[in-house]
């Protein structure tokens, strides 16, 4: 077994550091060894699951510095997702920055995304999802 590298500190949330892309992989113990899943994989899965939901036009960058929200291309969906692993390295929290279609019920769309992302990530990776947070950054018409 290889030793794990220290977690890089990326951003601060609520005064404590959290870890995102390029951070420590989530480690699952199996009967004949272990499996490490990179946060990049979880980020990509989450982005595709969110954009497959009704009412979602696309993803927005997770950090909007100039106040202008841009629609991300399909290839860069992971830029609109932040994945954080807990200290126990067994669960993840996911934050999604989305752009929704004008005229849809935002709370219904958000609930749908939360359920879909949780289901898809847990089903494909076996990792327990602690929370899915939705940030609606913009509303666009078709």
């Amino acid at each position: 077994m290889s030793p794990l590298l220290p977690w890089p500190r990326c951003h601060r949330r609520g005064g404590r550091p959290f870890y995102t892309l390029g951070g420590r992989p989530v480690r699952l113990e199996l009967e004949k060894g272990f499996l490490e899943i990179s946060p990049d994989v979880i980020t990509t899965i989450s982005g595709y699951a969110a954009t497959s939901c009704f009412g979602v036009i696309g993803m927005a960058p997770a950090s909007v510095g100039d106040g202008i929200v841009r629609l991300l291309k399909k290839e860069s969906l992971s830029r609109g997702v932040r994945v954080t692993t807990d200290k126990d390295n067994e669960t993840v929290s996911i934050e999604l920055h989305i752009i929704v279609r004008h005229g849809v019920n935002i709370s219904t769309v958000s609930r749908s995304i939360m359920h879909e992302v949780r289901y898809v990530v847990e089903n494909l990776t076996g990792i327990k999802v602690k929370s899915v947070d939705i940030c609606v950054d913009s509303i666009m018409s078709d």
Side-chain angles (χ1 to χ4, degrees):
M1 290 188 209
S2 63
L4 294 176
L5 300 174
W7 295 21
R9 293 173 189 240
C10 299
H11 303 282
R12 290 205 175 271
R13 175 195 249 177
R16 61 183 168 79
F18 72 96
Y19 311 96
T20 183
L21 290 176
R24 186 176 185 178
V26 178
R27 186 179 183 132
L28 300 172
E29 296 294 330
L30 306 173
E31 45 184 75
K32 293 189 178 188
F34 63 90
L35 171 67
E36 290 184 346
I37 301 176
S38 167
D40 298 342
V41 172
I42 300 166
T43 300
T44 303
I45 291 170
S46 300
Y48 279 105
T51 55
S52 71
C53 292
F54 174 79
V56 178
I57 291 182
M59 304 295 289
S63 59
V64 182
D66 55 6
I68 299 172
V69 177
R70 290 167 296 179
L71 182 64
L72 294 173
K73 297 178 184 174
K74 273 281 198 212
E75 300 84 42
S76 57
L77 290 177
S78 61
R79 288 185 48 215
V81 182
R82 286 187 181 156
V83 174
T84 60
T85 56
D86 291 341
K87 288 182 181 178
D88 60 1
N89 202 28
E90 294 175 359
T91 62
V92 295
S93 297
I94 301 168
E95 181 180 312
L96 301 160
H97 291 261
I98 62 168
I99 299 172
V100 296
R101 180 173 286 120
H102 180 267
V104 298
N105 185 323
I106 294 174
S107 65
T108 303
V109 170
S110 296
R111 264 188 254 114
S112 171
I113 294 168
M114 288 176 189
H115 291 294
E116 181 70 12
V117 169
R118 181 183 302 271
Y119 174 77
V120 170
V121 170
E122 288 181 353
N123 220 12
L124 292 178
T125 64
I127 297 169
K128 180 79 175 145
V129 177
K130 182 177 179 182
S131 66
V132 179
D133 299 323
I134 307 295
C135 300
V136 178
D137 289 344
S138 184
I139 298 172
M140 289 182 152
S141 59
D142 290 331

